[in-house]
Amino acid sequence: MSTNGKTSRILQFIAPDERRQFGIETPFQRLAWQMQDILGDGGILKEVVHAGEGPPVPKHASVSIHFSGFIEYSDAPFETTSHLKFPRMMKLGRDVTLYGLELGLLTMKKGEFSRFLFKPKYAYGDLGCPPHIPPLATVLYEVQVLDFLDSAQVDEFMDLSMEEQNNVPLSTFLNVLDTQRSFGNLCFNKKRYEDARERYKQAMTLLQNREPVDEEEKKCLEEMKLPFLLNLSLTYLKLEKPQKALCYGQKVLDISPQNTKALFRCGQACLEMNDYEKAQDYLTLAQVNKPFDPDINTLLRKLALCYKDYLDKERVMCSKMFWGFKGMEK
C-alpha cells in the first residue's frame, strides 16, 4: 500500500524526522493511537486484544507465554514461540531478558492476549541487535499468558541454609511443597515429564531433609510424601521406566499399605514389565478397595488379554519344539 507516493517498503529507509516533515504516519504510529501508555513516559504502549482472568502476573512469578516480536514493516517475526505447543516456564528477572516485556507481563492476567510497542530504551537500545534489530528500533510484541505460578516463596526458601529451612514454620514449609507440586503438575500436563520429575524429586528431598519437632509433625510429613511418590510413579510410567515406577509405588505402600492408587500404579508397572502374576496381585488388591473403578477393571481386562496372548505364544513355541524333537527321532 502506498503513502504519499512512497511504498511502505521505502518508508523504512526514511528517517523519522523526515517522515514527520512530510506528514507520513508509519504503521506503528497508527497502532499507537489505539494503545494505552502503561508507564506514562510513552515507552511501553499496550493494547488488550483478549482480556484474561484473575490477578495480574506477580513480580517474582514463573510464566508460560506465547510471544512473537516484530520490527516495523516486517510481516515475519524476528523471534517467536508459536512453533512450541508447550513453551517452557520462564522466571521473571532471570529468563525474561527484554526489560519492556517483563514490565508488560506484570500488567497481564492468565489467558490474556495483548500487543505491546516497546521504545528502544525498553527494548534493544541505541545499538539494536544486528542483524535482526536495527539501531533505535521500536518493536512490536504480541504476547499471550498461558499460565503462571508465584514462585517468590519457593525462591526465598531455596536460598536458606538447611538449618534455616528446618526452622521455618511448618505452614510455610507446606506452602513451598504445594507450589513445587503445582509446578510439577503444570510440567506434567504439558508433557514435560523430565521437568515434572525434577520438581517432584526436589520436593521429596525437602521432605527427607526436614527434621520433625514432634510425632504429629512426623506423621504430617509422611502423609505429604504420598502425592509426590504417586506422581513420581506415574511420571516414570510416562517416561517408559516401569522399574522406577514400581519402586516409587512400593514406597507409597510402605507408608500406606492399602493405598489404591499405589496398588494400581504397581500393577501398571508390572504389566509393562510383563510380570503378569505380580500385576494380577496388585490389581486384584486395588479392585478389592474399589470394585467398580473403571480404570482398574479396564487394566485387569487388558492384563487378561496380554496373559492369554503370552500363553498362546508359549503354546506355539512348545509345539514347534515338540515337532522338532519328533523330526530328529525319525
Side-chain angles (χ1 to χ4, degrees):
M1 186 177 112
S2 63
T3 307
N4 289 348
K6 294 181 172 66
T7 68
S8 60
R9 287 293 175 190
I10 295 174
L11 287 176
Q12 63 181 306
F13 300 107
I14 301 177
D17 290 340
E18 214 176 321
R19 288 198 291 264
R20 284 194 292 271
Q21 181 182 345
F22 288 102
I24 300 171
E25 196 173 55
T26 71
F28 279 6
Q29 287 173 335
R30 288 196 297 272
L31 183 61
W33 284 109
Q34 63 199 51
M35 304 181 91
Q36 177 189 2
D37 183 354
I38 65 173
L39 296 180
D41 65 354
I44 300 178
L45 304 181
K46 176 183 179 180
E47 177 192 13
V48 177
V49 179
H50 178 79
E53 296 180 347
V57 175
K59 187 175 181 181
H60 298 288
S62 293
V63 297
S64 177
I65 60 174
H66 270 309
F67 66 88
S68 296
F70 301 85
I71 59 173
E72 202 163 20
Y73 305 108
S74 175
D75 296 328
F78 59 82
E79 69 167 341
T80 183
T81 62
S82 60
H83 61 289
L84 301 174
K85 186 176 181 180
F86 300 115
R88 68 184 181 90
M89 297 290 286
M90 296 192 297
K91 172 73 176 171
L92 295 184
R94 186 186 67 195
D95 302 323
V96 181
T97 55
L98 198 72
Y99 185 41
L101 179 57
E102 177 148 345
L103 294 177
L105 283 168
L106 296 176
T107 70
M108 299 184 71
K109 301 177 180 180
K110 182 177 177 179
E112 180 180 327
F113 177 76
S114 290
R115 293 191 183 99
F116 293 93
L117 281 176
F118 300 129
K119 291 295 178 66
K121 66 181 286 190
Y122 294 102
Y124 295 94
D126 296 347
L127 300 178
C129 186
H132 302 294
I133 316 297
L136 292 169
T138 295
V139 294
L140 169 69
Y141 268 75
E142 296 181 337
V143 185
Q144 181 184 16
V145 174
L146 304 175
D147 210 341
F148 66 84
L149 287 170
D150 188 352
S151 55
Q153 192 175 45
V154 173
D155 296 333
E156 291 172 5
F157 184 84
M158 292 301 183
D159 288 337
L160 300 175
S161 67
M162 191 176 296
E163 183 179 352
E164 289 171 328
Q165 289 179 359
N166 265 313
N167 290 330
V168 302
L170 180 61
S171 59
T172 302
F173 181 70
L174 295 179
N175 285 337
V176 169
L177 291 176
D178 189 56
T179 302
Q180 288 291 76
R181 186 181 177 189
S182 296
F183 264 113
N185 292 349
L186 186 62
C187 293
F188 185 92
N189 291 334
K190 293 183 177 182
K191 300 186 179 182
R192 302 177 69 94
Y193 300 124
E194 290 86 357
D195 293 337
R197 176 191 60 194
E198 292 312 307
R199 287 289 179 175
Y200 299 143
K201 290 182 76 172
Q202 194 175 52
M204 283 301 301
T205 300
L206 295 178
L207 280 162
Q208 288 160 359
N209 291 340
R210 177 83 176 186
E211 297 177 4
V213 296
D214 52 33
E215 283 300 316
E216 185 178 350
E217 182 172 320
K218 182 179 180 181
K219 183 180 178 182
C220 175
L221 295 177
E222 285 294 291
E223 289 176 354
M224 279 300 299
K225 291 178 182 178
L226 297 180
F228 293 107
L229 292 170
L230 285 167
N231 287 352
L232 278 165
S233 182
L234 180 58
T235 302
Y236 275 113
L237 283 171
K238 293 294 184 180
L239 290 169
E240 298 182 356
K241 295 182 178 180
Q243 185 64 52
K244 286 274 191 180
L246 178 61
C247 176
Y248 281 103
Q250 288 171 333
K251 287 182 179 182
V252 175
L253 295 175
D254 290 340
I255 301 170
S256 176
Q258 295 300 316
N259 189 289
T260 306
K261 282 188 177 180
L263 292 168
F264 181 70
R265 295 278 179 265
C266 289
Q268 284 180 296
C270 289
L271 180 56
E272 290 294 320
M273 294 186 290
N274 300 326
D275 191 339
Y276 302 122
E277 290 186 5
K278 281 190 177 179
Q280 177 77 29
D281 292 341
Y282 283 121
L283 292 173
T284 300
L285 288 172
Q287 191 184 48
V288 169
N289 294 340
K290 290 189 175 181
F292 304 108
D293 186 282
D295 292 331
I296 295 172
N297 291 326
T298 298
L299 197 61
L300 277 167
R301 286 193 292 271
K302 180 181 177 182
L303 170 62
L305 291 172
C306 290
Y307 190 50
K308 180 180 179 299
D309 185 54
Y310 164 76
L311 292 177
D312 289 343
K313 288 178 180 177
E314 286 283 298
R315 194 176 296 114
V316 170
M317 188 181 301
C318 290
S319 177
K320 287 180 179 179
M321 290 174 62
F322 174 76
W323 284 110
F325 283 129
K326 286 191 71 174
M328 290 172 64
E329 289 175 0
K330 291 180 181 179

